[in-house]
Amino acid sequence: MDTLHPLVEALISLMLLIGALFMLVGAIGLVRFGDFFMRLHAPTKATTLGVGGVLIAAMVHSWAGGRFGVPELLITLFLFITAPVSANLMAKAALHLKVPSKAGRPAGIDDGAQTQDKQG
Amino acid sequence: MMPLALDIAIAAVALAMLLCAFRLFRGPEVTDRLLALDTLYINVVALVVLLGIRQQTELLFEAALIVAMLGFVSTVALARYLTRGDVIE
Amino acid sequence: MATGTIQPKRWLAHPFMSAIIAASWLLLQQSLAVPQLITATVLALVLPRVLAGFLGPQVKVSSWATVVRFAGIVLWDIVVSNITVAKIVLNPAREPQPAWVPVPLDLRHPNGIALLATVITTTPGTVSCVIDEDRHEILVHALDCSDPAAMAQDIKNRYERPLREIFE
């Protein structure tokens, strides 16, 4: 790659900054919020727009360089598919360990392990 | 313009990783540490991708793919361990 | 290749998945050389067959137009709710009101329920915590919610209805 079209370069820079901003917002949320379940919202944010923005920038950069940008696309898809799964598993672990929540304990959840057993 | 944006982005992601590390050491619950690890590996994926753009190499993107896969598997294994005291019966 | 019609495990029972596996292998290798083509074919045939026990029955999508519309709604909601949540995080004066929102389900298809839970988690501000398949309910934790009933209705209208159109 020698020189990029200025518009392409501006687009890449914009996506990079948006992505980095949302990663930072996710981490700030992780530190700032008061209980575990509120903090759980942080990584889902960081993956969706944060990593999404950075990877879109990487893909545009690859296309501008004449390559196809396949690994970037696969990373994006992989993270979009796996982030909700790990968030769900962590929430189940927290419910099972009876981690305190500001919103109180949800009604009808006596033992998180039982619901877990059916799927495992 | 793009090198500057890259530098800012790398600095922001590094700061995000420091904040995750704070939550990792602070806790207070073990699930909080797990969540901090999960966020940390997602940040590492972004950081490796940013380095790949900066160094103009395709190789680092594949490294990022491997980081993403290992991170997901370890989060799942740890979450299962916390829930059931066992990863594989 | 298909040796009989009564076999419980069939080759190519999931043609769409086989196509995706073959395509992603070839794209990762970035080549169309004969060895890669052979590997892609073998993977596409063997992997869905080995995983057959986990995959369940093949999904029949009834309306592709709804799929496209639903994807658009979800992508738009991801962007909008990301900005909403970022405002909450960055405003130190704002203390969010977390709440547990039980969402009763009319959707019965297991893959549809899994997709609904994924979509709920991917749109920031809500995380689906427990999927109770016996009581047909997803327990959602909302970051900032003053009216759980309204939010449950909103999720049902916005995500569950198109998913029912797609899966049922």
Side-chain angles (χ1 to χ4, degrees), chain B residues 65-88:
Chain B
L65 192 56
I66 292 171
V67 171
M69 287 179 173
L70 286 178
F72 172 64
V73 172
S74 48
T75 306
V76 169
L78 273 169
R80 270 182 80 87
Y81 178 72
L82 290 180
T83 318
R84 312 177 72 169
D86 214 341
V87 180
I88 302 167

Side-chain angles (χ1 to χ4, degrees), chain A:
Chain A
M1 180 206 76
D2 335 287
T3 45
L4 291 173
H5 191 277
L7 267 179
V8 176
E9 207 180 320
L11 178 66
I12 296 174
S13 308
L14 186 68
M15 292 316 294
L16 280 177
L17 291 178
I18 290 176
L21 174 74
F22 277 99
M23 308 273 315
L24 196 55
V25 166
I28 293 173
L30 188 69
V31 169
R32 190 175 95 89
F33 285 145
D35 76 41
F36 170 77
F37 291 98
M38 287 158 80
R39 285 180 209 130
L40 190 57
H41 294 274
T44 49
K45 273 192 296 295
T47 41
T48 47
L49 263 195
V51 173
V54 169
L55 286 163
I56 288 173
M59 266 186 270
V60 174
H61 185 256
S62 287
W63 291 335
R67 280 171 292 121
F68 205 69
V70 178
E72 296 94 313
L73 190 65
L74 286 178
I75 298 169
T76 318
L77 285 179
F78 185 81
L79 283 178
F80 265 63
I81 293 169
T82 56
V85 178
S86 45
N88 182 249
L89 284 172
M90 284 189 280
K92 270 182 185 163
L95 282 174
H96 177 62
L97 296 172
K98 301 193 167 55
V99 170
S101 160
K102 257 193 186 173
R105 197 162 166 72
I109 304 298
D110 303 318
D111 191 355
Q114 275 183 353
T115 41
Q116 171 83 12
D117 277 336
K118 274 173 232 146
Q119 298 179 349

Side-chain angles (χ1 to χ4, degrees), chain B:
Chain B
M1 178 167 62
M2 206 181 81
L4 179 68
L6 258 178
D7 286 346
I8 295 174
I10 290 176
V13 173
L15 182 59
M17 287 170 73
L18 277 178
L19 293 174
C20 293
F22 169 77
R23 184 50 78 192
L24 183 64
F25 290 122
R26 179 79 188 281
E29 303 285 341
V30 66
T31 42
D32 287 308
R33 297 177 208 268
L34 175 57
L35 180 63
L37 264 184
D38 188 65
T39 318
L40 200 56
Y41 96 74
I42 293 167
N43 280 292
V44 169
V45 171
L47 192 63
V48 173
V49 169
L50 288 171
L51 281 179
I53 302 178
R54 195 193 169 107
Q55 299 182 354
Q56 312 275 338
T57 161
E58 188 101 317
L59 201 61
L60 280 177
F61 294 144
E62 284 170 30
L65 192 56
I66 292 171
V67 171
M69 287 179 173
L70 286 178
F72 172 64
V73 172
S74 48
T75 306
V76 169
L78 273 169
R80 270 182 80 87
Y81 178 72
L82 290 180
T83 318
R84 312 177 72 169
D86 214 341
V87 180
I88 302 167
E89 287 104 55

